[in-house]
């Protein structure tokens, strides 16, 4: 599969306003909600493709109400200029649509179009086509049946690609100013690991060692790092994560517990380490409050430690994913002294 997008744009008399307007002129910074994907498609094809596209990108997390990690908004080719500077852009369609076929022939090379027609390529990407900090993904096949199948087959890759782009955009936004660099340096000096910290988090006192606990309000957000010395990577299991999450909730988060039936986990890559990513719900039945938690757990070979990074929030009446996504970006800035070359 080829992950390449060839543009031959300015001054060539292209047939579609999309390409002409997008290619020429001075680029400006991208904008829009970081989790929103603008999906450009022919109106008649969108009715067929929408279920597959939303299944790929709008994966839900219970917070406790279901919230999509990413959101998709459809726009027609005629209205695209209003949205052309959004951070995340998806052009999706088939060669059955005259509108989309003309667009694709002007966006892709002749060789790429032959591969699409032969069903050997369907996915292409380009960074910053119409604005800075922007990702364009083009998904095209000879017909909607083939395209729907390919979207499902490559769902995880598509989702990961777009989610990583969202994280990169948010990293720039979050740490563009007022980053707590002194606190990050202190963590590295005292504990041998560090994360980048947004400007309005502050450390909390806590009993015991091998715990760093950061808080931010409003709304209430908790970011906690726990580690154990260990020479046995096999201890990293979902059961270990749940055991530690229960201990964290009972010991630090006002006696909360995990809500049964909502916990899910998977193995993921975390900064080059094999890690467990887990989502779930916490609840304090005495105070009748609750919300989502999200954690990463991994073994760090360089320090011979098991790490758990836990993130939770309490934001009644609000969407929780924007807050959880910010903490996810913080978590993924984790570095050990060894990985930094120290």
């Amino acid at each position: 599969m080829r992950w390449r997008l060839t543009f031959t744009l300015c001054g060539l008399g292209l047939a579609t306003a999309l390409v002409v307007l997008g290619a020429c002129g001075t680029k400006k910074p991208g904008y829009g909600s970081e989790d929103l994907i603008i999906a450009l498609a022919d109106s008649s094809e969108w009715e067929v493709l929408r279920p597959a596209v939303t299944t790929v990108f709008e994966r839900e997390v219970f917070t406790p109400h279901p919230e999509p990690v990413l959101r998709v908004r459809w726009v027609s080719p005629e209205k695209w200029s209003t949205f052309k500077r959004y951070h995340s852009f998806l052009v999706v369609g088939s060669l059955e649509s005259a509108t989309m076929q003309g667009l694709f022939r002007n966006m892709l090379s002749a060789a790429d179009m032959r591969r699409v027609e032969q069903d050997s390529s369907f996915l292409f990407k380009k960074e910053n086509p119409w604005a800075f900090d922007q990702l364009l993904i083009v998904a095209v096949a000879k017909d909607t049946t083939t395209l729907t199948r390919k979207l499902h087959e490559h769902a995880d890759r598509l989702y990961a690609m777009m989610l990583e782009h969202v994280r990169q955009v948010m990293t720039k936004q979050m740490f563009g100013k007022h980053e707590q660099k002194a606190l990050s340096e202190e963590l590295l000096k005292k504990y041998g690991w560090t994360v980048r910290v947004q400007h309005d988090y502050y450390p909390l006192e806590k009993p015991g060692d091998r715990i760093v606990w950061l808080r931010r309000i409003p709304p209430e957000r908790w970011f906690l790092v726990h580690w154990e010395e260990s020479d046995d990577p096999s201890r990293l299991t979902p059961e270990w994560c749940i055991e530690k999450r229960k201990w964290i909730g009972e010991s630090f988060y006002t006696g909360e517990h995990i809500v049964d039936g909502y916990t899910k986990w998977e193995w993921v890559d975390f900064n080059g380490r094999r890690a467990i990513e887990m989502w779930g719900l916490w609840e304090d039945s005495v105070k009748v409050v609750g919300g989502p938690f999200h954690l990463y757990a991994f073994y760090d070979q360089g320090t011979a430690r098991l790490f758990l990074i836990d993130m939770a929030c309490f934001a009644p009446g609000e969407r929780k994913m924007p807050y959880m996504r910010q903490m996810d970006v913080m978590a993924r800035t984790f570095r050990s002294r060894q990985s930094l070359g120290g």
Side-chain angles (χ1 to χ4, degrees):
M1 178 175 297
R2 303 280 299 275
W3 293 82
R4 179 173 64 86
L5 180 57
T6 302
F7 281 85
T8 52
L9 295 174
C10 293
L12 297 183
L14 300 183
T16 64
L18 171 63
V19 179
V20 172
L21 289 174
C24 304
T26 302
K27 289 181 185 177
K28 297 181 180 180
Y31 61 76
S33 179
E34 72 281 346
D35 65 331
L36 182 62
I37 302 168
I38 299 301
L40 186 145
D42 181 270
S43 58
S44 61
E45 290 197 328
W46 179 244
E47 293 304 311
V48 177
L49 298 172
R50 180 179 57 83
V53 172
T54 54
T55 297
V56 170
F57 294 109
E58 293 191 340
R59 304 188 181 191
E60 291 182 334
V61 172
F62 284 91
T63 70
H65 303 294
E67 292 187 39
V69 177
L70 302 173
R71 298 174 296 142
V72 176
R73 178 175 179 178
W74 170 74
V75 298
S76 67
E78 296 79 13
K79 298 180 179 179
W80 88 278
S81 60
T82 304
F83 304 91
K84 68 176 182 178
R85 284 175 49 202
Y86 271 63
H87 289 297
S88 303
F89 221 97
L90 173 71
V91 178
V92 58
S94 81
L95 301 184
E96 292 179 318
S97 164
T99 299
M100 299 305 292
Q101 182 177 156
L103 171 61
F104 292 133
R105 290 194 181 280
N106 283 309
M107 296 178 75
L108 305 179
S109 69
D112 286 335
M113 287 299 295
R114 283 194 297 272
R115 281 186 282 270
V116 171
E117 293 165 351
Q118 295 165 3
D119 200 18
S120 60
S121 291
F122 94 105
L123 205 55
F124 309 86
K125 73 171 184 178
K126 184 176 179 63
E127 296 179 355
N128 308 324
W130 307 304
F132 295 114
D133 299 324
Q134 185 181 58
L135 176 65
L136 166 66
I137 295 178
V138 176
V140 52
K142 59 187 178 182
D143 53 56
T144 55
T145 300
T146 301
L147 183 54
T148 298
R149 173 175 57 81
K150 287 182 174 291
L151 288 170
H152 286 299
E153 289 175 350
H154 297 272
D156 289 343
R157 181 179 291 184
L158 278 161
Y159 178 76
M161 184 189 305
M162 195 65 81
L163 186 59
E164 179 58 27
H165 169 67
V166 169
R167 288 174 177 146
Q168 291 175 5
V169 171
M170 290 190 64
T171 299
K172 288 186 177 182
Q173 294 174 343
M174 289 169 56
F175 302 116
K177 56 183 179 179
H178 304 310
E179 179 181 352
Q180 296 194 63
K181 295 182 179 181
L183 178 54
S184 297
E185 291 171 0
E186 181 183 354
L187 294 174
L188 184 62
K189 182 178 179 180
K190 291 179 65 174
Y191 305 119
W193 59 266
T194 188
V195 292
R196 299 177 72 177
V197 184
Q198 277 187 287
H199 67 282
D200 47 3
Y201 279 86
Y202 60 92
L204 292 168
E205 295 294 329
K206 80 287 179 189
D209 58 1
R210 299 186 297 277
I211 287 283
V212 170
W213 186 11
L214 306 175
R215 183 187 186 193
R216 179 180 179 183
I217 55 174
E220 195 86 30
R221 278 159 280 181
W222 304 277
F223 184 97
L224 185 146
V225 182
H226 166 63
W227 65 97
E228 293 183 0
E229 313 295 331
S230 178
D231 59 1
D232 184 8
S234 68
R235 290 181 58 205
L236 179 62
T237 63
E239 291 75 20
W240 182 84
C241 295
I242 291 174
E243 175 189 341
K244 290 300 176 183
R245 186 56 181 72
K246 288 180 178 179
W247 168 68
I248 288 169
E250 293 169 359
S251 302
F252 305 104
Y253 298 164
T254 68
E256 70 180 49
H257 61 272
I258 296 175
V259 180
D260 292 335
Y262 290 93
T263 303
K264 62 180 183 179
W265 69 275
E266 62 178 331
W267 290 104
V268 298
D269 177 87
F270 182 84
N271 298 341
R273 302 173 179 86
R274 187 170 185 258
I276 291 174
E277 181 179 16
M278 183 175 290
W279 284 91
L281 294 178
W282 64 269
E283 181 181 64
D284 184 329
S285 55
V286 176
K287 296 182 179 180
V288 195
V289 296
F293 75 83
H294 179 204
L295 66 82
Y296 293 104
F298 54 91
Y299 184 77
D300 184 65
Q301 190 73 41
T303 57
R305 290 172 172 175
L306 281 168
F307 279 91
L308 186 143
I309 302 177
D310 182 72
M311 301 152 279
C313 79
F314 176 60
E318 299 183 55
R319 290 179 60 220
K320 316 302 190 293
M321 282 309 302
Y323 306 122
M324 299 302 292
R325 193 160 33 246
Q326 289 175 359
M327 289 188 286
D328 176 76
V329 169
M330 276 181 54
R332 285 182 168 269
T333 67
F334 175 93
R335 298 293 186 272
S336 67
R337 181 178 289 118
Q338 286 76 7
S339 65
L340 290 170

